[in-house]
């Protein structure tokens, strides 16, 4: 038969008067990037052929030959000796052509009751499902590394910031736990997305279903799908699952980017809260003293790529009429890029976090600047009976005195403190016990409730987060 599956120079089919031009062939081919789907394509084809045989749509002998042929092709691909041909357009036609070369007529029966439209949608879902599982595992590894670091620093005091100004003391462990919360939500979103990825399009054929007596549930079961796509038009045209993944990936990267920004600030000698192991940093080609945090900087930059991948997919879909359109071939590269970028970033972060050296003294010194315990003094006055707004004003007065004298609230003597806060007769409210609330330790220990920064709470929160991660992975 003179078809493009067998003859490179032939027209697409008998319906065509001439072959596709070289230029168009290059423009429309996707095999250079979609060969990445080869193994899931074979998995999908095996499940489809098995069902065709079980339903007596093809013979048992055809099925055995298809199985043998595809197994051989899989080995060729894994060994790197499979010859990919651009003139065979995409991964699907390359594999089908090779199958027919290997086993003859039975190979030509594989595509019965199927279209590349439901085939490619199935491949993409199978591939993404595996990647989501891998990304979840990496996210868990990173979160566990953060939890270990948080545990080691449940008592380490640093300044907490708002507006990048010293606000109140917090523990470094508490600060790290904020990222663990973000990553937990990311994992929940990934799992939620996975449930919608894991629906089988096969059986939709080109767009309207097929006239053969197929058993879609059988194929779904073989391939580990939770169910089948309910509408054939939607099954071949839907790419929501890829968009949802990219949205989740973009948000995950946004969290990584925020952490990166903090790491870059913390490692700066101007702040000097942490050091990152040398193997994650680079020097400068001109300035011998430099040690640059390239990894977090790149992660911050790569966040833009993943947001771009999401935008590309949204734009790809926005004007497509039902059902399949060739536009959809453009879904792969952004999706692959988002998966690769997120996976690589998580891998390098999980390796980098355990190598972080925390400079407790620098953190503590910074927390002692900027009147981080001013709120504690106001709270102290409230507990002695003053209304909060009055207490706020009295402490603002005391801070003003400290600014003028260049000292901290804790440096003021009891008398000086009483004097400084004596706006409305509250001086008498202050006793010697005030010194305890003005210390950093007193401040953090006081925030002893769920979600607070007290070391006791931080340790409990770490235990809860560990449990949650373990539970998420048992449930799957
Ligand atoms: N390479 C194509 C894609 O990625 C496969 C589906 C082709 N379908 C078609 N009707 N031309 O979308």
């Amino acid at each position: 038969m003179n078809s493009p599956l067998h003859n490179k120079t032939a027209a697409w089919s008998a319906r065509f008067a001439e072959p596709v031009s070289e230029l168009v062939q290059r423009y429309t081919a996707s095999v250079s990037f979609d060969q990445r789907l080869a193994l899931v394509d074979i998995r999908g084809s095996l499940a489809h052929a098995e069902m065709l045989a079980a339903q007596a749509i093809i013979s048992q002998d055809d099925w055995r030959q298809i199985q043998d042929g595809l197994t051989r092709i899989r080995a060729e691909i894994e060994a790197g000796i499979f010859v990919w041909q651009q003139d065979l357009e995409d991964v699907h036609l390359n594999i089908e052509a090779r199958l027919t070369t290997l086993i003859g007529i039975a190979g030509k029966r594989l595509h019965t009751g199927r279209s590349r439209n439901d085939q490619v949608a199935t491949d993409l879902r199978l591939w993404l499902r595996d990647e989501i599982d891998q990304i979840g595992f990496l996210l868990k590894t990173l979160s566990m590394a953060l939890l270990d670091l948080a545990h080691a620093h449940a008592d380490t005091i640093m300044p907490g910031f708002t507006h990048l100004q010293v606000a109140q003391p917090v523990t470094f462990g508490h600060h790290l736990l904020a990222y663990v919360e973000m990553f937990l939500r990311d994992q929940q979103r990934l799992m939620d997305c996975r449930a919608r990825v894991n629906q089988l399009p096969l059986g939709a054929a080109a767009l309207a279903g097929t006239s053969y007596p197929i058993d879609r549930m059988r194929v779904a079961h073989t391939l580990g799908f939770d169910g089948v796509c309910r509408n054939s038009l939607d099954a071949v045209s839907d790419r929501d699952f890829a968009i949802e993944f990219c949205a989740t990936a973009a948000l995950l990267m946004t969290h990584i980017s925020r952490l990166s920004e903090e790491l870059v600030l913390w490692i700066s000698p101007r702040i000097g809260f942490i050091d990152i192991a040398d193997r994650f940093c680079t020097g400068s080609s001109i300035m011998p003293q430099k040690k640059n945090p390239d990894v977090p900087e790149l992660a911050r930059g790569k966040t833009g790529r993943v947001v771009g991948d999401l935008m590309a997919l949204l734009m790809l879909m926005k004007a497509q009429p039902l059902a399949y359109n060739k536009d959809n071939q453009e879904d792969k590269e952004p999706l692959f890029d988002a998966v690769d970028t997120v996976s690589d970033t998580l891998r390098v972060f999980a390796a980098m976090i355990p190598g972080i050296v925390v400079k407790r003294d620098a953190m503590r010194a910074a927390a002692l600047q900027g009147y981080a315990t001013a709120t504690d003094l106001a709270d102290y006055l409230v507990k002695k009976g003053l209304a909060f707004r009055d207490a706020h004003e009295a402490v603002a007065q005391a801070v003003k005195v400290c600014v003028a004298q260049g000292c901290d609230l804790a440096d003021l003597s009891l008398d000086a403190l009483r004097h400084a806060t004596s706006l409305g007769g509250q001086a008498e409210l202050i006793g010697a016990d005030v010194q305890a609330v003005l210390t950093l330790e007193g401040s953090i220990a006081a925030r002893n409730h769920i979600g607070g920064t007290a070391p006791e709470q931080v340790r409990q929160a770490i235990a809860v987060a560990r449990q949650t991660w373990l539970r998420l992975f048992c449930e799957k």
Side-chain angles (χ1 to χ4, degrees), residues 30 34 89-90 92 116-117 120 324 326 328-329 332:
S30 55
D34 68 13
E89 202 176 308
D90 59 21
H92 323 292
R116 276 187 297 156
N117 298 351
V120 69
Y324 175 87
K326 185 76 169 178
N328 278 350
Q329 186 164 286
K332 287 165 204 66

Side-chain angles (χ1 to χ4, degrees), residues 383-456:
K383 283 167 199 160
K384 300 278 174 169
L386 208 60
F388 182 77
R389 280 291 157 228
D390 292 334
H392 184 281
E393 194 52 22
V395 176
Q397 186 70 25
V399 168
K400 193 173 165 187
V401 170
C402 288
V403 170
Q405 294 182 7
C407 69
D408 191 52
L409 284 170
D411 298 331
L412 294 179
S413 67
L414 194 53
D415 272 353
L417 194 59
R418 282 179 167 156
H419 184 73
T421 53
S422 63
L423 279 179
Q426 52 269 40
E428 317 81 65
L429 300 178
I430 298 183
D433 57 345
V434 75
Q435 288 304 332
V437 310
L438 293 180
T439 64
L440 298 176
E441 281 73 13
S443 174
I444 59 162
R447 285 158 174 78
N448 195 10
H449 53 76
I450 295 174
T453 194
E456 191 186 325

Side-chain angles (χ1 to χ4, degrees), residues 5 16 43 77 86 147 312 330 407:
L5 284 187
F16 288 78
R43 245 157 89 193
I77 292 167
Q86 191 194 75
L147 285 168
E330 287 291 307
C407 69

Side-chain angles (χ1 to χ4, degrees), residues 23 53 67 80 104 106 191 215 252 295 350 366 384 386 397 404 414 421 473-474:
L23 184 61
Q67 205 177 11
M191 291 170 75
D215 182 350
L252 198 175
V295 168
K384 300 278 174 169
L386 208 60
Q397 186 70 25
L414 194 53
T421 53
F473 275 74
C474 289

